[in-house]
Amino acid sequence: MVSDNWPSREMVEGPARAPARAMLHAAGYDADALAKPMIAIVNSWSTVTPCNMHLRGLAEHVRRGILEAGGTPVDFNTIVVTDGIAMGTKGMKASLISREVIADSAELAVRGHSLDGVVFLVGCDKTIPAAAMAAARMDLPAVIFYGGSIMPGRLGDRKLTIQDVFEAVGAHSSGTIDDAELKAVEQAACPGAGACGGQFTANTLALAMTFLGLSPMGLNDVPAVHPDKPEAAAQAGRIAVAAVKAGRNARAMITPEGLRNAVVAGSATAGSTNLVLHLLAIAREAGLGDDQFALQIFDEVSRRTPVIADLKPGGRFMAPDMSAAGGSALLGQRLQEAGLLTDAPTVTGKSLFEEFAGARETPGQEVILSAAKPLKQRGGFGILFGNLAPEGCVVKLAGHDQMLMDGPAKVYDGEEACFAAVTHGEIEPGDIVVIRNEGPVGGPGMREMLAITAAIQGRGLGDTVALVTDGRFSGATYGFMVGHVAPEAALGGPIAKLRNGDRVVIDVERQVIETDADLDAREAPALKPRGAGSSGAFAKYAMLVGSASQGAVTSGADR
């Protein structure tokens, strides 16, 4: 089957394209290969991180699946910046910026070679939304295939994730554990390939891509080192070829209904607040405005969606446990039964509800519950507005039951100053810790605050301290944490005028974050020009990036 609608026809057909064919022949593509649908494999393989280090091997199986289905694979590689390694350092500024670079590089490689479809091999946090953003821009048939979760580490009878290592740092600084105990946790937590094992950002986004319809049901569930993973990769390749032949383009899935389904899945599993930022970005890249998919949707969904998956960071289990229990299909079936989802198309050609029909529950499993008997009646997110965040901000509701906090602000300019304060015991119960100038422009790059939030937990302050920032939180964060404050301090947001001792009220039920300090009477700090003090990719990002309340995209889609 050859379609005149395939973009590759422009590249390989006709006398004028003889030079292109000559070069393609040299690269190993014969006339038979060029007559087939040409499928890009955009791979984020790297040796720097367990999340992505196995993707080169999985790419061979994706290639096999494409060939078996009658397609021609064309390989590219893109970058990854690993949050778990960069966390707490200046390198973390590169993390969110990498999302844009990955999306840009994928778009350029695929469009530059007029390819017909794409399989994205993704692992660490930003590679997943970047793939969906690129798919939204190009509107080609696209499959997002996640390399899978790491297995739990073990220390005696205790199962570990990277979350435990960050919290051990806090416990070490408070004297609760010694050097040897910290080293034992460090060496046991990450046993091999795969992304961080709790319902942190990578697993939250992998689940969201399944409910959005861009990832085939069940393929992302399979852990990284499971013997079924190679065949799952081959199946991703076959589905990509079938999607090209059927004309199932990405924007058929990236709809308000599909995005809302992804929000439901994230909320029902108390997933990462980064889902908010990334789904907004994907929506904007697909041309959807505030009237179709806006920040407020996350609060609306969370209020009516119970938490029915008992997953870390707030729960007991990890992603491999959920996979063994029945996986995404079982979770979806439970949410469908509760009337919380809308049927929608998927990249396989089946509808979402048709995919759920194949769910198989493991007898005796305790990971996935039901809406009738949930872990919590309210889902994992809250959206707040007020005189400290006129454009909105996000509160994480996993791992605690607090809905209201009222206390004095302790204000820090930048993550390093706050981390030093936490580790030196300067934070006290009842404090509202405020970290500013860490937003998309101010960072630049909107760093995650896991080092600080884990240190707070490790010092035993998790139930008595709130944290407010224009930066972000890791999916491994839990506690009373408010992020993505917009407008950010670097753009003159009200958070820039807050002072030590100002009363701050965080009221989740009323959707309010406010202070009774007279901010209007205070002189605003002098603002630096966008990109000042930065260079290269960091300066470009600071010049172009939009508000966190619109997904912090650089394409201009939010302006």
Side-chain angles (χ1 to χ4, degrees), residues 231-513:
E231 181 54 30
Q235 183 65 3
R238 296 184 198 106
I239 290 169
V241 176
V244 169
K245 291 179 178 179
R248 288 192 287 272
N249 287 5
R251 288 197 186 187
M253 273 62 78
I254 306 173
T255 64
E257 295 77 20
L259 289 160
R260 191 180 186 95
N261 286 338
V263 178
V264 171
S267 190
T269 56
S272 170
T273 52
N274 283 311
L275 181 70
V276 179
L277 193 76
H278 297 321
L279 288 183
L280 286 167
I282 294 163
R284 298 300 172 261
E285 297 289 7
L288 302 176
D290 263 351
D291 59 329
Q292 296 165 293
F293 189 77
L295 183 62
Q296 175 63 16
I297 286 173
F298 291 85
D299 198 273
E300 294 171 3
V301 167
S302 186
R303 286 175 186 269
R304 62 189 298 263
T305 303
V307 177
I308 64 169
D310 191 0
L311 298 169
K312 287 179 175 288
R316 296 180 294 162
F317 298 104
M318 302 179 195
D321 299 313
M322 179 166 147
S323 177
S328 299
L330 179 61
L331 177 75
Q333 194 175 77
R334 296 285 165 83
L335 294 170
Q336 178 190 348
E337 290 167 354
L340 295 168
L341 297 171
T342 302
D343 203 10
T346 77
V347 70
T348 67
K350 294 182 179 179
S351 77
L352 195 63
F353 289 1
E354 287 176 320
E355 295 284 13
F356 294 155
R360 296 291 182 268
E361 180 175 5
T362 299
Q365 66 86 19
E366 300 178 357
V367 185
I368 301 170
L369 308 180
S370 69
K373 295 182 178 180
L375 289 168
K376 292 178 66 175
Q377 287 295 336
R378 174 171 175 145
F381 312 119
I383 304 299
L384 312 178
F385 298 89
N387 65 357
L388 287 176
E391 293 178 6
C393 59
V394 181
V395 59
K396 185 162 190 173
L397 302 177
H400 68 92
D401 295 315
Q402 286 183 283
M403 303 294 280
L404 175 68
M405 194 157 182
D406 181 338
K410 279 192 176 174
V411 183
Y412 299 92
D413 286 305
E415 179 181 358
E416 287 80 5
C418 184
F419 187 74
V422 174
T423 55
H424 288 97
E426 297 174 17
I427 306 302
E428 301 172 347
D431 284 343
I432 309 289
V433 179
V434 178
I435 306 173
R436 63 191 179 195
N437 290 307
E438 289 286 4
V441 174
M446 205 178 180
R447 284 191 287 184
E448 292 180 347
M449 303 293 163
L450 179 58
I452 291 171
T453 60
I456 288 171
Q457 293 288 347
R459 294 185 73 89
L461 295 168
D463 294 332
T464 58
V465 167
L467 192 151
V468 177
T469 180
D470 52 10
R472 297 183 294 127
F473 297 123
S474 164
T477 290
Y478 64 103
F480 206 27
M481 309 295 174
V482 181
H484 309 195
V485 170
E488 61 176 289
L491 295 181
I495 193 175
K497 296 182 179 181
L498 205 62
R499 296 175 183 168
N500 286 332
D502 286 347
R503 177 175 174 244
V504 173
V505 176
I506 305 168
D507 189 333
V508 177
E509 282 301 327
R510 292 195 301 123
Q511 282 195 264
V512 167
I513 181 168

Side-chain angles (χ1 to χ4, degrees), residues 118-123 125 127-133 135-136 140-148 201-222 229 232-233 235-240 243 248-254 258-259 261-262 265 275 279 282 327-329 344-356:
V118 56
V119 178
F120 296 94
L121 270 70
V122 296
D125 297 3
T127 62
I128 307 173
M133 290 163 66
L140 291 171
V143 171
I144 297 176
F145 179 63
Y146 174 51
T201 301
N203 284 317
T204 300
L205 265 294
L207 178 69
M209 293 304 102
T210 299
F211 277 67
L212 184 56
L214 292 176
S215 292
M217 185 64 60
L219 299 194
N220 289 354
D221 295 354
V222 183
K229 200 66 179 182
Q235 183 65 3
R238 296 184 198 106
I239 290 169
R248 288 192 287 272
N249 287 5
R251 288 197 186 187
M253 273 62 78
I254 306 173
L259 289 160
N261 286 338
L275 181 70
L279 288 183
I282 294 163
S328 299
T346 77
V347 70
T348 67
K350 294 182 179 179
S351 77
L352 195 63
F353 289 1
E354 287 176 320
E355 295 284 13
F356 294 155

Side-chain angles (χ1 to χ4, degrees), residues 23-304:
M23 296 191 72
L24 287 163
H25 293 331
Y29 300 95
D30 60 18
D32 182 58
L34 297 183
K36 297 174 181 177
M38 302 189 71
I39 312 296
I41 302 173
V42 177
N43 192 348
S44 57
W45 165 78
S46 170
T47 61
V48 77
T49 168
C51 313
N52 296 56
M53 70 183 193
H54 59 307
L55 297 185
R56 182 166 65 175
L58 288 179
E60 291 304 311
H61 296 283
V62 175
R63 288 177 59 83
R64 171 169 62 86
I66 291 170
L67 291 166
E68 288 172 354
T72 298
V74 182
D75 293 85
F76 299 95
N77 214 75
T78 186
I79 65 164
V80 59
V81 173
T82 310
D83 294 12
I85 296 172
M87 195 75 66
T89 73
K90 290 184 173 60
M92 190 64 198
K93 295 175 183 283
S95 171
L96 188 59
I97 298 174
S98 77
R99 185 190 73 177
E100 309 303 300
V101 174
I102 295 163
D104 289 350
S105 63
E107 177 190 12
L108 292 172
V110 175
R111 282 184 165 163
H113 298 91
S114 303
L115 301 177
D116 303 312
V118 56
V119 178
F120 296 94
L121 270 70
V122 296
C124 197
D125 297 3
K126 305 308 168 294
T127 62
I128 307 173
M133 290 163 66
R137 291 180 194 175
M138 295 184 291
D139 195 25
L140 291 171
V143 171
I144 297 176
F145 179 63
Y146 174 51
S149 172
I150 196 170
M151 298 303 290
R154 290 187 179 273
L155 187 60
D157 294 333
R158 183 184 173 197
K159 290 184 178 181
L160 300 177
T161 71
I162 193 66
Q163 170 191 344
D164 296 287
V165 188
F166 280 100
E167 290 179 13
V169 172
H172 180 267
S173 72
S174 68
T176 305
I177 65 173
D178 61 20
D179 291 351
E181 290 171 304
L182 176 60
K183 187 172 184 179
V185 173
E186 168 193 332
Q187 292 182 332
C190 300
C196 300
Q199 193 66 345
F200 309 152
T201 301
N203 284 317
T204 300
L205 265 294
L207 178 69
M209 293 304 102
T210 299
F211 277 67
L212 184 56
L214 292 176
S215 292
M217 185 64 60
L219 299 194
N220 289 354
D221 295 354
V222 183
V225 297
H226 195 282
D228 291 344
K229 200 66 179 182
E231 181 54 30
Q235 183 65 3
R238 296 184 198 106
I239 290 169
V241 176
V244 169
K245 291 179 178 179
R248 288 192 287 272
N249 287 5
R251 288 197 186 187
M253 273 62 78
I254 306 173
T255 64
E257 295 77 20
L259 289 160
R260 191 180 186 95
N261 286 338
V263 178
V264 171
S267 190
T269 56
S272 170
T273 52
N274 283 311
L275 181 70
V276 179
L277 193 76
H278 297 321
L279 288 183
L280 286 167
I282 294 163
R284 298 300 172 261
E285 297 289 7
L288 302 176
D290 263 351
D291 59 329
Q292 296 165 293
F293 189 77
L295 183 62
Q296 175 63 16
I297 286 173
F298 291 85
D299 198 273
E300 294 171 3
V301 167
S302 186
R303 286 175 186 269
R304 62 189 298 263

